[in-house]
Every structure is written in structure tokens, then in C-alpha cells.
Amino acid sequence: MTDPNVVVASTVAAAQAAATVTPQTVGQIDKFGADVAKTVRLFMFPFQIGGALQDRLERYIDRAIRQVPEERRIEPVESMAYPIVEKLRFQPEHDPITELYIQLLSRAMDRERVGEAHPAFFSIITQMAPDELLFLRDFSSRDETLIMSPVGQKVYPDPAWRHARLDKCELSADIRQEIEDETFTYEALSQPELFPVYQEHLQHLGLIEYHNRLARHYKQLELKLRDDSELSVFSMKLTHLGRLFLKACAKDAEFG
């Protein structure tokens, strides 16, 4: 029976050799150092894919490494790094979900930010739709976000419906603008009609939650928390996990 330690040693040796004899596939090693080239090849070794897919995967790994200052680079935990790299093999470029994987891989190699790379985040990314990332970014722009939703229904409230709801409140111009600014921007989604599905899924993932500390705000706006004949109005926000997820995985995440 083959000694598993021998197998591991030979695998590492082969990957290290690949880093030294195939610099062309890594590209311009002098720009980011032999250590980066070695890391790229070590990540790539378990995944035998061809041509363009391999080149693209190398670019993804390279981007993740480049974001970490050299003095802060550490060897990532394999149980996190390899599943990310495996997912990146077939992730298209210019896909926002691809960027989430790259950012998480980068955090896993950063001595100062590795604590942000929560093990749950990989699983969350694998379940997310691009629109759900837009959903979270919209929430991150405010401490709290107002949601309008028909009572007892999971339906997208289109602009005409929302405007009609506010028209009946006879709000002053400044208060009207305030509530519109604090209301979720449904139309930023590529499929706003799926808003109720995204909301429910993100709640299930533990990234958003009902808040409703805006009770005084509702009074100021002359809105009821519940109106059976109209849209109800309630408040939601990112959870602590949701904020940490965006901080770790969403490039240039900003919070209101």
C-alpha cells in the first residue's frame, strides 16, 4: 500500500517544480514575485483543466494574491482555499459572484484580515444570485431600509403602487422625499419581480432581518405598520453576519 505521506510529498514537489519550469503560464513573474507564482501553481496543481479555462483561473488566483501586501501574505487553510479555487474554475469573468469568491480567497491569505473569512461565507456565495448581491449592497447604503409589501402576499410592489400608497398619506414634500430615500430601490434589480424570493432567501441565509425600530419614524410619516387595504410598511437591515459578509467578500463595500 502506498504511503500517503509519500503521495503528499510528491504532489507538493511536482507543483513546486511546475512553478519553476513553466513561468510562461503564470506570466511576468518579476512583477509580483516568485512566491506568488509558486502559490498560483500550488493552487492550480489539483485541477487539470485545459487552455483558456486554466489561463482564466490563473488570473483569478493572481488577482486574489495581488490584493494582499507581500508582508501580510500567509498560506491559506486548504479546506477553504481549494473549494474556492474549484468553484472559480468555471466562473465567468465580469460576474459579480466571481468577485465574491476572489475576495474571499484574498482574505484567506491576508494575515490582518483572515478573521473575516468566515467558513460559512463560501456556502453563502454558492447559493447567491447576482441580484441578491445588489439587494445586500442596497441595504448596506442605509442603517435601516423601508420595505413596502402587500399584506399577506409575496408580490413585487411596482412604482405606481408605491406612489399611490404615499399619495394617500398626504405627506409634506420633505417627509415624502425622506421616505422615498429610505425605501428599497426595487428597480435596481435585474428582475425586481423576484424581490420577495430574494428577501426570503437572504433572511434564510441570516444576512438580513426585520428591524422596526422606526416606530417613531412611522408616526412622523403618518404611516401605519399594517393596513389591510394597502401596502404595509416595515423596516429591515443587514444582520451582523450580513455586514461581515459584505466586508469580507464585496469589493469596496460601503455602509450607511
Side-chain angles (χ1 to χ4, degrees):
M1 181 176 179
T2 304
D3 186 341
N5 293 324
V6 173
V7 174
V8 172
S10 63
T11 299
V12 173
Q16 289 173 333
T20 61
V21 302
T22 60
Q24 187 62 36
T25 61
V26 180
Q28 297 185 329
I29 293 178
D30 59 311
K31 287 188 176 181
F32 53 93
D35 62 321
V36 174
K38 177 181 174 182
T39 303
V40 170
R41 298 310 301 169
L42 285 170
F43 276 144
M44 291 288 294
F45 186 77
F47 308 107
Q48 300 302 316
I49 55 179
L53 289 179
Q54 177 162 327
D55 292 342
R56 186 177 66 185
L57 180 56
E58 287 180 354
R59 290 196 299 272
Y60 290 159
I61 298 171
D62 176 40
R63 281 169 53 193
I65 299 171
R66 282 177 182 268
Q67 294 182 72
V68 184
E70 185 175 356
E71 67 277 7
R72 284 167 35 191
R73 291 174 193 157
I74 58 174
E75 183 176 346
V77 176
E78 290 184 3
S79 60
M80 174 169 288
Y82 281 118
I84 295 173
V85 174
E86 183 176 16
K87 281 291 185 181
L88 282 172
R89 287 188 299 165
F90 304 112
Q91 276 295 125
E93 294 188 89
H94 312 301
D95 183 330
I97 302 302
T98 301
E99 192 61 36
L100 295 180
Y101 285 121
I102 292 173
Q103 293 300 313
L104 184 59
L105 180 59
S106 183
R107 296 293 176 266
M109 294 185 287
D110 188 333
R111 177 179 291 105
E112 292 187 6
R113 303 191 66 177
V114 67
E116 297 174 11
H118 192 286
F121 292 164
F122 173 77
S123 176
I124 289 173
I125 296 172
T126 64
Q127 300 177 63
M128 285 190 68
D131 259 355
E132 291 175 330
L133 178 57
L134 293 177
F135 196 120
L136 292 179
R137 282 191 176 277
D138 184 86
F139 266 44
S140 73
S141 66
R142 316 175 192 86
D143 289 333
E144 299 170 274
T145 296
L146 292 179
I147 300 293
M148 291 188 186
S149 179
V151 176
Q153 303 177 57
K154 294 187 180 298
V155 181
Y156 156 58
D158 63 29
W161 197 354
R162 302 198 306 269
H163 292 161
R165 174 67 169 91
L166 294 180
D167 288 344
K168 294 180 180 179
C169 295
E170 299 182 353
L171 303 169
S172 64
D174 58 334
I175 295 298
R176 172 76 175 247
Q177 187 61 55
E178 184 178 345
I179 191 171
E180 289 180 349
D181 290 343
E182 293 181 357
T183 298
F184 181 77
T185 51
Y186 306 83
E187 287 68 44
L189 304 177
S190 61
Q191 294 182 284
E193 67 276 8
L194 292 179
F195 158 77
V197 177
Y198 299 145
Q199 177 190 327
E200 186 172 342
H201 186 221
L202 291 171
Q203 286 177 261
H204 176 73
L205 292 175
L207 301 177
I208 62 174
E209 63 184 354
Y210 289 104
H211 192 47
N212 284 344
R213 287 190 181 175
L214 285 176
R216 59 161 190 83
H217 204 51
Y218 292 127
K219 184 177 181 180
Q220 179 190 28
L221 296 173
E222 302 175 14
L223 290 172
K224 299 177 182 178
L225 290 175
R226 179 183 176 93
D227 185 332
D228 288 333
S229 63
E230 298 287 354
L231 295 174
S232 62
V233 181
F234 54 90
S235 174
M236 299 191 75
K237 69 170 186 174
L238 291 174
T239 62
H240 179 69
L241 181 67
R243 284 180 170 266
L244 186 57
F245 174 79
L246 287 180
K247 183 179 179 182
C249 303
K251 192 173 183 179
D252 304 321
E254 296 183 2
F255 301 96

